[in-house]
Amino acid sequence: MSDTPNLSPLSDDSNDADDDTSGKKGGFNILILLPLVVFLALAVLFMWQMASGTNPNIVPSVLINKPAPNFDLAPLDASFGIRTPEGGIMPGFDTESFKGKVSVVNVWASWCPTCRDEHPLLLQMTEDKRFDLLGLAYKDEPANSARFLKNHGNPFDKVGMDISGRVGIDWGVYGAPETFIVDRTGTIRYKHIGALTPQSLQAAFLPKLEEILAEK
């Protein structure tokens, strides 16, 4: 009697392999869709903001309606020859500078391209003497700050040098430019992230500034 090989195990292995292959071909990794889902969610949020009139540059801050942090910023050195719009020596500023007068604090730097874009608007704001326009020079070297103001004009009543960026961190600054409105009590009332534009000024910033200026 001749021996005949038992082929049934081989047949079983082959079927298992076919099953594995078909499973792999038919499987789908849902994580592949995750970036698309995130993108679509952000797009829907942006469209909702636009449709509702919400300004995407207005970012909630834990400091809104709270006193400005304690700080004391040194002035831009007088040897650079930068003067106030009225021609006086440029002072620095601190927390006490806010008491008794509405202040607009602009976070800027010479290395910031969009700061140059909004600078003409800041120069226009110097015509309104009802508030102080204060420049917080963020992570900038004094010589570079002075060169920027010489080349583009100085709109600021005071300039404080935040060379280390420590004060900016205390204010919750994301980067330059940013602009805050501080009321007469030293309370931060408004924050705009990014460069001011004619549109954002008219739509939100100036109405809020007028509201705060009207308060007694």
Side-chain angles (χ1 to χ4, degrees):
M1 177 182 290
S2 62
D3 294 332
T4 58
N6 187 353
L7 299 179
S8 56
L10 180 60
S11 299
D12 292 340
D13 290 343
S14 175
N15 290 336
D16 290 342
D18 289 340
D19 290 341
D20 289 344
T21 303
S22 61
K24 290 179 181 177
K25 288 180 180 179
F28 182 77
N29 189 350
I30 195 171
L31 293 178
I32 295 175
L33 288 179
L34 185 58
L36 178 61
V37 171
V38 172
F39 172 79
L40 290 175
L42 291 174
V44 169
L45 176 60
F46 178 79
M47 293 302 294
W48 174 82
Q49 288 178 323
M50 296 296 291
S52 64
T54 303
N55 187 342
N57 288 331
I58 302 173
V59 177
S61 170
V62 296
L63 294 179
I64 298 300
N65 296 323
K66 293 185 178 180
N70 289 323
F71 70 97
D72 188 354
L73 289 175
L76 185 61
D77 196 296
S79 64
F80 291 112
I82 303 299
R83 298 282 177 170
T84 67
E86 286 75 30
I89 295 176
M90 180 67 67
F93 62 98
D94 56 20
T95 311
E96 293 300 314
S97 301
F98 301 131
K99 299 299 176 64
K101 191 170 185 179
V102 175
S103 300
V104 172
V105 180
N106 180 253
V107 181
W108 67 284
S110 64
W111 46 261
C112 163
T114 50
C115 293
R116 300 178 188 180
D117 296 336
E118 75 171 3
H119 203 73
L121 296 176
L122 298 179
L123 290 170
Q124 293 176 17
M125 293 173 68
T126 62
E127 299 173 5
D128 193 333
K129 304 303 180 185
R130 295 176 297 165
F131 59 88
D132 284 338
L133 182 55
L134 312 180
L136 192 156
Y138 181 63
K139 294 185 178 181
D140 207 9
E141 292 298 324
N144 294 336
S145 296
R147 186 179 304 110
F148 180 96
L149 295 177
K150 284 182 179 178
N151 291 338
H152 301 284
N154 175 42
F156 302 118
D157 298 297
K158 300 175 183 178
V159 169
M161 299 303 302
D162 185 19
I163 298 174
S164 68
R166 179 68 256 179
V167 172
I169 291 175
D170 293 341
W171 279 66
V173 169
Y174 292 87
E178 292 186 11
T179 308
F180 298 81
I181 303 176
V182 184
D183 68 17
R184 295 177 181 89
T185 69
T187 300
I188 298 173
R189 299 285 298 280
Y190 187 87
K191 177 180 181 179
H192 178 91
I193 291 181
L196 292 168
T197 65
Q199 293 75 23
S200 63
L201 276 177
Q202 296 300 323
F205 191 88
L206 290 181
K208 188 64 177 180
L209 180 57
E210 288 293 344
E211 174 189 323
I212 296 170
L213 286 169
E215 297 173 354
K216 301 299 182 184

